[in-house]
Amino acid sequence: HERCPVSTATVIDRHGVDVRRGVDDRAVARPGVDQPAVDPAWITATVRPAGRFGRGDVGRLRALLDALSACASIVVLDLQAARLLSPRAATVIDEAAHRLEEHGGCLVCINVDADSRACLSTAGPHAVLLAQG
C-alpha cells in the first residue's frame, strides 16, 4: 500500500490557529493555472503505556508500533506512566520511528524521564524525545 506523505503546507499552532504563510484559501481554481497541492489526510495516534517495559514486553510493543507505523503519520508515545527498562524496548521504538520517518512521518516520545531518555538515546536518533514537565 502507498502512504501519503505528511504535508508541511498546513501548520496549526497550539491555539488551533492556521499559521500558513503565502496560502490564500480564497483562491479560485482556473483552468491552465497551477494550483497548490491539496493537503493529504493524515492520522495521529497517541499511545499511553503504563508500567515497566522490560524484555518480556518487547513483543507486544513491537506489534503495536509495527501496526501504527504502517498506517499513521505521527505517533505520540506518552511515557509519563511508563518506564523503559530494556534496550530492546528502546530499539523497537527507534525502529518504528525510522519507519515513520522514511514515509515523511514522525514518532514523538513525550513525558520522558531521565532513565527512559538514556535508554532511548542509546537506541538511535530517530524518535523525538521531549522531557517531562
Side-chain angles (χ1 to χ4, degrees):
H1 76 48
E2 189 172 323
R3 292 182 26 172
C4 295
V6 175
S7 172
T8 58
T10 301
V11 178
I12 306 298
D13 72 9
R14 63 187 176 125
H15 303 290
V17 176
D18 188 343
V19 294
R20 292 179 294 179
R21 294 193 177 124
V23 177
D24 186 354
D25 288 335
R26 298 168 296 175
V28 177
R30 293 176 286 182
V33 176
D34 288 338
Q35 296 297 316
V38 176
D39 293 338
W42 54 294
I43 297 172
T44 299
T46 301
V47 180
R48 293 182 180 101
R52 298 171 180 261
F53 280 77
R55 200 176 302 181
D57 302 301
V58 172
R60 292 185 309 145
L61 185 61
R62 181 181 300 280
L64 175 64
L65 292 178
D66 281 352
L68 291 174
S69 63
C71 61
S73 307
I74 298 173
V75 174
V76 178
L77 191 58
D78 186 343
L79 297 175
Q80 184 169 12
R83 298 297 168 264
L84 296 179
L85 302 175
S86 167
R88 290 181 187 171
T91 298
V92 165
I93 293 168
D94 187 69
E95 289 170 352
H98 185 253
R99 284 190 301 279
L100 284 159
E101 195 176 274
E102 287 178 326
H103 298 287
C106 182
L107 190 146
V108 179
C109 295
I110 62 172
N111 296 315
V112 181
D113 68 10
D115 292 335
S116 295
R117 176 181 290 277
C119 194
L120 286 163
S121 294
T122 61
H126 301 288
V128 175
L129 309 178
L130 301 174
Q132 289 178 324

